[in-house]
Amino acid sequence: MTRKLFVAGNWKMYTNLAEAKQLAGAIAKGVTTDAMTVAVCPPFPWLTTVAEVIKGSHVKLGGQDCAIEKEGAYTGQVSAPMLLDAGCQYAIIGHSERRHGLNEKDELLNKKAHGALAAGLEVIFCIGELLAEREGNQTESVLERQLALGLAGMTAEQLKKLVIAYEPVWAIGTGKVATEQQAQDAHAFIRQTIAKQFGKPAADGMVIQYGGSVKPDNAAKLLALPDVDGCLVGGASLKPELFLPIIQAGVDVAGKKSS
């Protein structure tokens, strides 16, 4: 099965309004094909502005998180209906900076994912191991746990609207990148685990992104791996001169994978 490659940019807590407009405009202008899926995930305050800038382009919009509840007295939270209203198609759930920086647990992330999917958003669900877990040969047990608890109660049908982003925590923002073999092994294991939980057709159709210090000089090799279906890009997504070559690498690989 040929899966459509998907590159998403996570802007994290960077950019001011003017920078967000300029960045979104440059990316929208630079993406000239829908041979692969491209999305940007700016900070919440800039969502509607970026939505206007990319309107009519090949670039889609995502939020960096999503509350469990649809509405209510939840100060500082942003709900799925709000994200949809702002023009979002996607929401990132479970990024390591929320898992480890804000102590968000698997059960909470599972509720967030369920809420986002039920509201009509598509979910980019992040998983990945810490350096100590990698060095302790616990990578597979960590990924298995995060998938079992994070996707608990979901159906194979719901999984069609969910993307897995494998991000080894030790490679995020560090300049370290998983070797091609490490990335492929982790992605293959994730697909095998999905097959056990939800069946082979669901696993074969699952888009699994790699994240962790993705740059123009390593993107093509990573994207060409059999079980790598895209990238979730952090720092490099803030610079069009870095992000657009990553996207072009994806377009080139997509042509080869589909031929």
Side-chain angles (χ1 to χ4, degrees), residues 141-153:
S141 62
V142 169
L143 298 180
E144 198 166 28
R145 185 197 78 238
Q146 291 175 339
L147 288 168
L149 297 178
L151 306 185

Side-chain angles (χ1 to χ4, degrees), residues 5-245:
L5 294 184
F6 180 15
V7 171
N10 176 13
W11 296 2
K12 305 189 181 184
M13 200 171 70
Y14 293 106
T15 68
N16 57 34
L17 184 56
E19 291 167 344
K21 284 182 180 179
Q22 187 174 18
L23 178 56
I27 293 168
K29 184 178 179 181
V31 180
T32 58
T33 175
D34 61 359
M36 59 177 292
T37 304
V38 177
V40 292
C41 302
F44 288 140
W46 316 148
L47 283 174
T48 53
T49 299
V50 171
E52 280 298 313
V53 173
I54 65 175
K55 190 175 182 179
S57 75
H58 296 285
V59 181
K60 303 180 188 303
L61 188 67
Q64 296 179 19
D65 186 41
C66 182
I68 297 169
E69 298 82 5
K70 291 182 179 179
E71 63 178 8
Y74 303 104
T75 301
Q77 296 280 64
V78 177
S79 70
M82 290 175 179
L83 292 178
L84 287 164
D85 237 7
C88 291
Q89 182 173 336
Y90 298 95
I92 299 173
I93 304 291
H95 193 280
S96 68
E97 290 159 3
R98 299 195 67 90
R99 285 180 183 268
H100 303 292
L102 298 174
N103 204 31
E104 294 191 351
K105 303 298 185 185
D106 293 305
E107 292 80 4
L108 172 68
L109 300 175
N110 175 254
K111 290 177 182 177
K112 285 187 173 186
H114 272 284
L117 290 169
L121 285 167
E122 297 182 43
V123 168
I124 299 171
F125 193 82
C126 301
I127 60 174
E129 80 282 7
L130 298 166
L131 180 59
E133 293 166 335
R134 163 67 66 170
E135 291 177 341
N137 295 316
Q138 297 174 300
T139 296
E140 291 188 354
S141 62
V142 169
L143 298 180
E144 198 166 28
R145 185 197 78 238
Q146 291 175 339
L147 288 168
L149 297 178
L151 306 185
M154 290 188 186
T155 64
E157 192 64 27
Q158 284 177 300
L159 247 58
K160 293 177 181 178
K161 297 292 186 181
L162 187 139
V163 171
I164 297 291
Y166 168 64
E167 296 196 301
V169 181
W170 46 271
I172 298 173
T174 63
K176 296 179 181 177
V177 184
T179 66
E180 292 167 47
Q181 193 63 56
Q182 286 173 326
Q184 171 56 26
D185 287 350
H187 280 241
F189 177 78
I190 291 165
R191 204 173 301 284
Q192 291 163 12
T193 305
I194 294 291
K196 289 178 186 175
Q197 279 183 256
F198 299 98
K200 191 173 184 298
D204 287 344
M206 171 66 70
V207 170
I208 308 173
Q209 297 174 317
Y210 172 81
S213 298
V214 177
K215 302 284 193 302
D217 60 359
N218 59 35
K221 288 183 178 180
L222 288 165
L223 290 165
L225 296 170
D227 286 291
V228 174
D229 308 311
C231 297
L232 181 57
V233 184
S237 71
L238 295 166
K239 297 180 179 180
E241 66 271 23
L242 297 180
F243 193 49
L244 290 173

